[in-house]
Amino acid sequence: MTASPTSPAVAGSLSVAGSFSVAGSFPLAGSFPLAGSRATVPPTATASAWWRDAVVYQVYIRSFVDANGDGIGDLAGIITGLDHLEALGVDAIWLTPCYPSPQLDHGYDVADYFAVDPVYGDLATFDRLVAEARRRSIRVLMDVVPNHCSSEHAWFRAALDAAPGSPERARFYFRDGRGRLGELPPNNWRSVFGGSTWTRVTEADGSPGQWYLHTFSPWQPDFDWSCPDVVAMFRSMLTFWFDRGVEGFRADAVAVVGKAPELPDAPPVPEGTAENDAWAHNPYTVFWPTAHDHWRDWRRLIDDYEAANPGREIVTVSEAYTPDRPDLLLRFVNPEQFHQSFCFDLMLAPWRVDTLRATIEPVEATLSAAGAPLTWTMNNHDTQRAVTRYGRSDAAELSSWTKNNLVYTGTPVDLALGTVRARAAIALVAALPGSLYLFQGEELGLPEVLDLPLGARQDPIFFRTDGREPGRDGCRVPLPWSADPTTSYGFSPATSPATSTATSTATSTATSPATVSPWMPQPGGWGNYSVEQQHDAPESMLALYRSVLSARRACLDPDAGLEWPTSTHPDVLMFHRGDVTVVVNVGADEVMIADVCASAPRLASSRLLLSSSAGHDDPTRLPGNTCCWFASS
Ligand code: GLC
Ligand code: CA
């Protein structure tokens, strides 16, 4: 039996007879121990936990370092990059999914939650990575994808083989279609990546069959969490990786895991809603509350695990976009559920004083009042890179920011401007209370690659929207480590054994003379951004990141909150954090510090701790698009 996805780019990959083989490391029948009655454990002492003000670096594995020369980043490559991360000053790395996967959403389509994709390595290499990271005091977090698996997961393949109403199908959302012959999808839900959330399957006898639900692409069937097998499998998975030394998980797409049991039609979307935003208005899955029972169950499992394993301090961080609703974050980040939840509003805010303050202040106030830790980020693998966002000609226009991280305007980009703003932005966000998640390459000031050849694009968003949305490939281009184009700028080794090109999906039009093309082509001149080029350059983005992270550690009191003096200048955002005063000039023109002292008198006698502007060390002046930290001394 086959389901019938429609994207021409990857059609056929769902075929049961397809070539991807699943390493079935757990049984199909639900044989995992279910949560028993819970032993009483003391609440986790989160007040001093390492992660509350940690800097976590997101490693997008396939683009970090390719150690074996097949053009795809791998676990052994991450080990070679650890010295760079240690020098940068990060406390932990978060690995994007490294599980076996057909890679149709680059690992967010998991075929086996208990193994490593052979393209990335094996469990022994994974263990070595954890040990090597620990040697450098860097913890390793993984990515757990609870909403869906890959259509190549053994459970889904079994569900396709099984009959309607079978236990195999009960792990997913299989439903009969509407219409006289069941030819219409069971409801009107729209998928995040475009199109319907339903795909029809062909039954064993060859007849058109039931439909299954996929919030994202057809290659990512949603689990039905009311099925005990699903609950048990994830409990088992978490423990499996904790036992290997993993210190926590970033939990993917948690806001859509719950579903109203009857799967009713979603109400009409508000007038003017963009096609790509329709899914977000579906109240029968977005923030549907049943999922919270499972997050509570996970937290109990973790609390019990910590109690049974003294010294372990595990963190979970949930990915839930809650535009302008910090109160919604509290549904996820609380002592019974996730330890952290990304505060995305700042990442999606225009570059202007009113919006920056109007995002930071309520998030900080709401979470702090509830005792919930703050978790900031300015970049990730789903979002246009900050250098490009802030370089757009409409970067300060309210109307241009959709608050949907998958949708951006196509206005012209001034990279020089975007870079100075991104420099100011990292100095700003690093000064906020809470933890900070970085995305690989932002420390090099990488821009979004906007002109990838069409044939190189791999993001399902691009295919599912028929190219109307370019998707996220442009922030996922392999990192430059050196200026040497013959090694894909140091991404791949100098002599490439290229033993496993059979699994490579490289489609590069080869902008570089590398022996092996990286899986996604790098633009010419990419080497100028490399670690090697920036390493000893005091004015580089890399140097700025290092000094910001070290100043954060040295000068900021982790317990200090924010105070907001009223700024007397329309382009200047200002806050106190303990003894440190942070001043950001979002305008193009220089501002004299004396002109803003009226609202923060202590600035007059403060010392300049750092400036985001290369070469700037004059405490009396604040150049345009610059963030400075001052210490009252
Ligand atoms: C999350 C991930 C994204 C992925 C999606 C589906 O938003 O960050 O990369 O495509 O979930 O798993
Ligand atoms: Ca490789």
Side-chain angles (χ1 to χ4, degrees):
M1 287 110 281
T2 51
S4 30
T6 48
S7 163
V10 280
S13 57
L14 190 56
S15 156
V16 170
S19 57
F20 182 80
S21 71
V22 175
S25 59
F26 54 88
L28 291 185
S31 60
F32 297 103
L34 278 168
S37 62
R38 181 168 183 247
T40 311
V41 292
T44 322
T46 54
S48 60
W50 67 270
W51 42 262
R52 284 193 76 104
D53 58 350
V55 176
V56 183
Y57 182 98
Q58 180 188 357
V59 175
Y60 195 74
I61 300 178
R62 62 195 294 111
S63 296
F64 190 64
V65 177
D66 164 30
N68 70 346
D70 65 356
I72 302 175
D74 43 48
L75 295 179
I78 300 174
I79 295 173
T80 71
L82 286 174
D83 289 343
H84 166 67
L85 301 181
E86 186 181 20
L88 185 58
V90 308
D91 300 293
I93 54 176
W94 145 33
L95 306 180
T96 52
C98 61
Y99 316 101
S101 163
Q103 304 290 343
L104 296 178
D105 192 17
H106 294 324
Y108 289 94
D109 46 334
V110 180
D112 179 354
Y113 289 82
F114 298 82
V116 167
D117 193 314
V119 170
Y120 294 145
D122 52 24
L123 282 173
T125 315
F126 185 91
D127 294 343
R128 200 155 56 81
L129 167 60
V130 172
E132 285 292 329
R134 185 176 290 155
R135 213 159 60 73
R136 295 166 176 84
S137 302
I138 296 174
R139 293 167 161 93
V140 175
L141 314 181
M142 294 182 85
D143 208 317
V144 56
V145 186
N147 182 66
H148 48 266
C149 58
S150 161
S151 49
E152 297 289 341
H153 190 286
W155 276 4
F156 190 71
R157 294 171 64 130
L160 290 178
D161 283 341
S166 60
E168 287 83 358
R169 289 204 174 177
R171 296 173 179 137
F172 302 92
Y173 290 98
F174 278 85
R175 295 289 183 275
D176 294 334
R178 298 202 277 205
R180 202 169 57 83
L181 301 170
E183 73 281 14
L184 299 173
N187 69 25
N188 66 354
W189 293 10
R190 308 300 294 167
S191 121
V192 177
F193 290 167
S196 168
T197 52
W198 295 94
T199 290
R200 194 171 195 186
V201 303
T202 304
E203 302 294 356
D205 62 4
S207 61
Q210 289 195 300
W211 299 68
Y212 69 90
L213 177 72
H214 47 84
T215 298
F216 294 89
S217 75
W219 308 279
Q220 294 161 299
D222 284 29
F223 284 118
D224 182 343
W225 274 79
S226 68
C227 173
D229 289 358
V230 174
V231 175
M233 194 269 277
F234 277 97
R235 288 181 62 88
S236 179
M237 177 223 173
L238 296 178
T239 310
F240 176 87
W241 294 103
F242 293 152
D243 285 347
R244 302 199 95 88
V246 168
E247 294 296 354
F249 283 90
R250 175 262 193 188
D252 184 72
V254 295
V256 292
V257 169
K259 272 109 187 158
E262 302 301 323
L263 307 178
D265 269 341
V269 297
E271 203 164 324
T273 302
E275 176 195 350
N276 304 73
D277 278 334
W279 68 271
H281 295 274
N282 180 353
Y284 298 121
T285 176
V286 181
F287 302 124
W288 188 261
T290 48
H292 293 285
D293 295 340
H294 305 299
W295 314 143
R296 284 186 203 97
D297 182 48
W298 283 13
R299 185 60 174 263
R300 287 192 294 268
L301 180 145
I302 289 168
D303 289 347
D304 289 349
Y305 192 90
E306 287 176 331
N309 295 276
R312 296 297 296 273
E313 259 187 325
I314 284 163
V315 63
T316 52
V317 51
S318 64
E319 184 217 22
Y321 285 82
T322 59
D324 295 334
R325 291 284 310 274
D327 55 305
L328 285 182
L329 279 179
L330 292 175
R331 292 191 192 170
F332 296 89
V333 53
N334 61 59
E336 296 186 335
Q337 299 185 52
F338 294 100
H339 304 79
Q340 302 182 316
S341 192
F342 289 115
C343 309
F344 288 120
D345 283 354
L346 187 56
M347 181 176 84
L348 300 174
W351 186 246
R352 29 192 292 155
V353 167
D354 55 355
T355 47
L356 292 175
R357 178 159 176 186
T359 52
I360 298 167
E361 198 177 5
V363 169
E364 199 264 346
T366 308
L367 269 68
S368 297
L374 292 147
T375 310
W376 303 100
T377 187
M378 297 301 260
N379 290 281
N380 63 39
H381 66 296
D382 295 328
T383 307
Q384 273 199 3
R385 286 191 177 272
V387 165
T388 299
R389 292 198 316 264
Y390 293 135
R392 289 207 177 275
S393 59
D394 55 2
E397 302 293 326
L398 283 180
S399 57
S400 305
W401 292 71
T402 63
K403 303 194 177 178
N404 178 338
N405 65 311
L406 306 178
V407 181
Y408 287 91
T409 65
T411 53
V413 177
D414 175 344
L415 279 186
L417 178 61
T419 301
V420 289
R421 286 173 172 170
R423 291 176 67 103
I426 187 63
L428 160 62
V429 71
L432 298 174
S435 73
L436 172 61
Y437 281 66
L438 307 175
F439 174 49
Q440 69 179 35
E442 68 170 273
E443 80 279 20
L444 306 177
L446 294 185
E448 186 84 2
V449 180
L450 296 169
D451 56 356
L452 287 167
L454 291 189
R457 293 209 172 265
Q458 299 198 9
D459 188 351
I461 291 182
F462 178 74
F463 300 111
R464 299 280 293 164
T465 61
D466 294 325
R468 285 187 298 283
E469 283 298 330
R472 303 159 293 175
D473 296 316
C475 66
R476 302 171 174 183
V477 173
L479 289 195
W481 293 85
S482 77
D484 175 9
T486 66
T487 59
S488 302
Y489 305 111
F491 171 65
S492 289
T495 48
S496 302
T499 47
S500 52
T501 42
T503 50
S504 167
T505 50
T507 52
S508 169
T509 52
T511 52
S512 73
T515 324
V516 178
S517 299
W519 72 275
M520 181 63 63
Q522 301 157 303
W526 205 229
N528 296 334
Y529 291 102
S530 66
V531 176
E532 179 187 75
Q533 295 286 301
Q534 299 195 36
H535 196 269
D536 298 318
E539 302 195 342
S540 67
M541 186 69 101
L542 181 55
L544 175 71
Y545 266 71
R546 284 185 187 149
S547 42
V548 164
L549 297 188
S550 104
R552 171 185 159 91
R553 216 181 285 262
C555 309
L556 293 173
D557 171 2
D559 296 326
L562 297 178
E563 285 170 69
W564 297 88
T566 312
S567 173
T568 46
H569 194 291
D571 285 341
V572 173
L573 177 83
M574 206 190 292
F575 57 82
H576 299 306
R577 174 120 192 261
D579 293 339
V580 175
T581 301
V582 176
V583 191
V584 191
N585 176 7
V586 303
D589 299 330
E590 179 175 286
V591 169
M592 297 310 290
I593 289 293
D595 292 343
V596 294
C597 275
S599 43
R602 61 152 104 151
L603 271 181
S605 57
S606 289
R607 209 158 33 92
L608 181 62
L609 280 176
L610 72 83
S611 169
S612 67
S613 268
H616 169 230
D617 57 6
D618 178 351
T620 66
R621 302 164 34 236
L622 188 60
N625 291 305
T626 296
C627 172
C628 288
W629 297 13
F630 291 91
S632 41
S633 43

